[in-house]
Amino acid sequence: MKYPAVQNFIHGQFIDAENSDYINVISPVDGLLLSTVPMSKCTDLNSAVSSAKEAFKTWGKTPIKERVQIFFRFKALLEKNKIELANLIAEENGKTPDEGLAEIEKSIELTEFACSLPQLITGELLEVSKGIECRTEHVPLGVVASIVPFNFPSMVPCWTIPNAIALGNCMVMKPSEKVPLSIGRIAELLKEAGLPDGVLSVIHGNSEIVDAICDHPDIEAI
Amino acid sequence: MYRRATQNYKRCLALGGAKNHLLVLPDAIPDMTAQNITASMSGCAGQRCMAASAMVAVGDVDHIIDKLCIEARKMVAGKNLGAVINKESKDRIENYINQAEKMGAKILVDGRNTVVSGKEKGTYIGVTIIDYVTPDMSVATEEIFGPVISIMRTKTLEEALVIENKNPYGNAASVFTQNGAAARYVIENASAGMVGVNVGVPVPREPFSFGGWNESRFGVGDITGKSSIEFWTKLKKSTTKWNPQAGVNWMS
């Protein structure tokens, strides 16, 4: 096995799933056994959601201009590591290294958009009658989740992670069990970029976890 | 998933399948069209929700189909064409091709039984072009998610749009032409969220948002771009008054 068994990422730490079965992660390129991935249980999801709820108390109140600083640094880290990330995508998904690189370029573009959110999210204010003002502001939802398919191990997670988190939410990510490796590097790079513990969690698994996410009372949006 | 999440009163945006139609008109630039279609159908081994999966040849475009076959043969598995995700996927895709052949379609370029030397356990399918597909074939209507394109033929643009509109999905559609009016007509009448003109993969780049229509997307709004602001936030509305002299009326 080329890489160690995949772990969940909860509260800023990579940890083994509790009492779970593992399935093989096979490279479509040549059939090589790359790793094994846990089929996490509800208890793992509950840990991630609790951590996200706790993190949201601070993250949700952090000004957006501060929050996006993480993504400026994340973007720079994607650029710095793009060859390695592209090759990992190619290995686990089967696409060519050039296509893996294009996927990272798109992940960078998505992150760049999240960095621009403070310019786009200003609220509105109007004096609606003498001395009385109405104001609107965009506030985060809380704990949210994202469930992603196998075909873009980095780009599709980057559809949701930068925007949802920059907008103040804390996210539980459920990657595809077919391509669980790239997301681990993304989580590491976000931590390196300064993302506080609990703001992003990664829970690996199958449809059992998808159902649990759909049913979890503390998850606001998917 | 969408049903389960929303039954639990969650906000949900769920992206579905796709069957993207590329409408090719006789005045399309042959080289550009052939290259764009090949890139769209073979990129990521066709495992993209934006991949070209059905081509509608409007009128006589045989000269473009000939070029398409030449371009398609330049895609070499294990070099510039990647693998599909696993054996089940490979078998499923090859089964689609077999079915179409059995029903009388003509396989112009055949990617079945592709083996890459030194990577025998890899799961590859070569680029496959199926011509004379009829709308009753599964390759005409279902998402194949492999490097396979099904060519259907019509006499008019209207007939081509009937085929496009009839499909339950609505992620992307493209038209290849040098006629601005025809292009505009397709933009207006294709039942797809993302339309390309002489573009094989019409993914809107940031700050524009990504999202299909019909059964390609469940929920409100798009997944990326400015649309994501509405999805990931809620609005707080506040009404404030600090001075006792402020007007008192029916609203406040």
Side-chain angles (χ1 to χ4, degrees):
Chain A
M1 193 160 91
K2 184 166 177 185
Y3 301 107
V6 171
Q7 294 178 301
N8 289 330
F9 182 73
I10 300 175
H11 208 69
Q13 303 298 323
F14 285 97
I15 58 163
D16 288 330
E18 286 178 36
N19 310 314
S20 77
D21 299 328
Y22 282 77
I23 62 168
N24 289 339
V25 181
I26 308 281
S27 174
V29 173
D30 52 10
L32 185 72
L33 176 64
L34 294 176
S35 181
T36 58
V37 60
M39 298 297 103
S40 305
K41 304 273 187 254
C42 289
T43 49
D44 301 299
L45 177 67
N46 290 342
S47 307
V49 173
S50 304
S51 161
K53 261 180 100 170
E54 193 55 34
F56 181 69
K57 289 178 187 164
T58 310
W59 187 249
K61 303 269 185 234
T62 304
I64 189 165
K65 276 173 165 282
E66 267 180 58
R67 291 193 301 244
V68 298
Q69 297 313 312
I70 305 286
F71 292 99
F72 279 103
R73 294 194 286 272
F74 177 61
K75 176 179 177 279
L77 289 168
L78 287 175
E79 282 162 348
K80 188 177 151 198
N81 295 284
K82 65 178 161 189
I83 302 297
E84 175 224 322
L85 292 164
N87 290 336
L88 186 58
I89 290 170
E91 204 171 23
E92 66 173 334
N93 168 277
K95 62 182 74 178
T96 67
D98 280 351
E99 288 168 344
L101 195 56
E103 186 173 338
I104 296 300
E105 298 289 0
K106 183 65 195 177
S107 305
I108 290 167
E109 183 174 72
L110 289 156
T111 305
E112 203 173 271
F113 177 78
C115 292
S116 75
L117 280 166
Q119 328 307 325
L120 300 172
I121 202 188
T122 50
E124 294 179 317
L125 187 144
L126 182 74
E127 186 180 43
V128 290
S129 61
K130 191 71 190 161
I132 297 177
E133 287 173 348
C134 264
R135 181 171 95 151
T136 61
E137 53 202 302
H138 292 270
V139 299
L141 302 176
V143 180
V144 299
S146 181
I147 299 161
V148 294
F150 74 82
N151 58 337
F152 287 94
S154 168
M155 181 191 81
V156 176
C158 286
W159 276 358
T160 56
I161 292 172
N163 289 344
I165 291 179
L167 290 165
N169 302 288
C170 293
M171 174 174 276
V172 177
M173 167 64 63
K174 207 301 272 180
S176 165
E177 64 276 25
K178 297 184 183 78
V179 293
L181 301 172
S182 296
I183 194 71
R185 286 295 290 133
I186 289 172
E188 275 174 351
L189 294 178
L190 279 164
K191 189 177 163 100
E192 191 180 337
L195 192 71
D197 294 345
V199 177
L200 174 72
S201 307
V202 180
I203 299 291
H204 295 279
N206 55 19
S207 58
E208 189 183 328
I209 281 297
V210 171
D211 288 346
I213 288 172
C214 290
D215 294 344
H216 202 295
D218 292 332
I219 293 173
E220 303 293 332
I222 306 173
Chain B
M1 226 210 77
Y2 179 76
R3 193 173 285 144
R4 188 163 183 153
T6 52
Q7 261 173 5
N8 287 318
Y9 310 114
K10 292 186 200 312
R11 194 178 283 196
C12 183
L13 183 59
L15 305 192
K19 185 77 183 175
N20 306 313
H21 291 69
L22 273 60
L23 280 47
V24 178
L25 274 56
D27 68 343
I29 297 175
D31 285 332
M32 179 177 77
T33 304
Q35 285 158 11
N36 273 257
I37 295 176
T38 302
S40 177
M41 68 174 288
S42 68
C44 303
Q47 300 171 118
R48 292 191 285 193
C49 62
M50 294 296 278
S53 182
M55 171 179 150
V56 188
V58 182
D60 181 11
V61 297
D62 283 353
H63 61 294
I64 299 174
I65 293 173
D66 291 346
K67 291 232 168 186
L68 179 63
C69 293
I70 294 168
E71 287 299 322
R73 290 196 177 93
K74 292 181 186 167
M75 305 309 297
V76 181
K79 291 205 170 98
N80 54 2
L81 174 67
V84 296
I85 192 70
N86 55 26
K87 177 80 167 52
E88 293 75 49
S89 191
K90 179 179 157 76
D91 291 346
R92 185 180 50 77
I93 296 162
E94 291 192 336
N95 196 37
Y96 271 117
I97 305 168
N98 295 340
Q99 273 180 30
E101 189 176 42
K102 217 173 277 174
M103 287 182 74
K106 193 174 164 195
I107 315 295
L108 299 183
V109 180
D110 191 348
R112 286 172 292 185
N113 307 311
T114 295
V115 176
V116 174
S117 159
K119 295 172 182 168
E120 284 77 8
K121 287 188 175 164
T123 42
Y124 296 89
I125 294 192
V127 167
T128 300
I129 299 177
I130 312 176
D131 200 358
Y132 297 102
V133 168
T134 52
D136 56 324
M137 296 181 192
S138 57
V139 291
T141 54
E142 293 173 22
E143 180 168 42
I144 298 172
F145 230 54
V148 178
I149 195 162
S150 311
I151 304 177
M152 287 169 273
R153 290 167 178 265
T154 65
K155 289 195 178 69
T156 66
L157 187 54
E158 284 73 19
E159 289 171 69
L161 280 163
V162 167
I163 292 173
E164 193 282 332
N165 283 191
K166 209 174 160 193
N167 194 273
Y169 298 118
N171 227 32
S174 283
V175 58
F176 288 85
T177 182
Q178 288 301 300
N179 179 329
R184 188 68 222 166
Y185 188 75
V186 172
I187 291 172
E188 282 177 17
N189 293 292
S191 184
M194 297 172 278
V195 182
V197 175
N198 299 314
V199 172
V201 187
V203 173
R205 290 184 60 176
E206 274 50 43
F208 298 96
S209 57
F210 185 102
W213 286 1
N214 310 329
E215 286 180 30
S216 291
R217 184 204 54 188
F218 303 90
V220 176
D222 288 342
I223 187 86
T224 60
K226 289 178 193 166
S227 200
S228 69
I229 296 173
E230 302 311 319
F231 186 80
W232 295 119
T233 62
K234 52 192 176 186
L235 275 183
K236 173 64 68 75
K237 288 76 60 179
S238 55
T239 304
T240 54
K241 170 170 75 184
W242 291 104
N243 52 335
Q245 296 79 25
V248 175
N249 63 20
W250 55 272
M251 277 300 286
S252 53

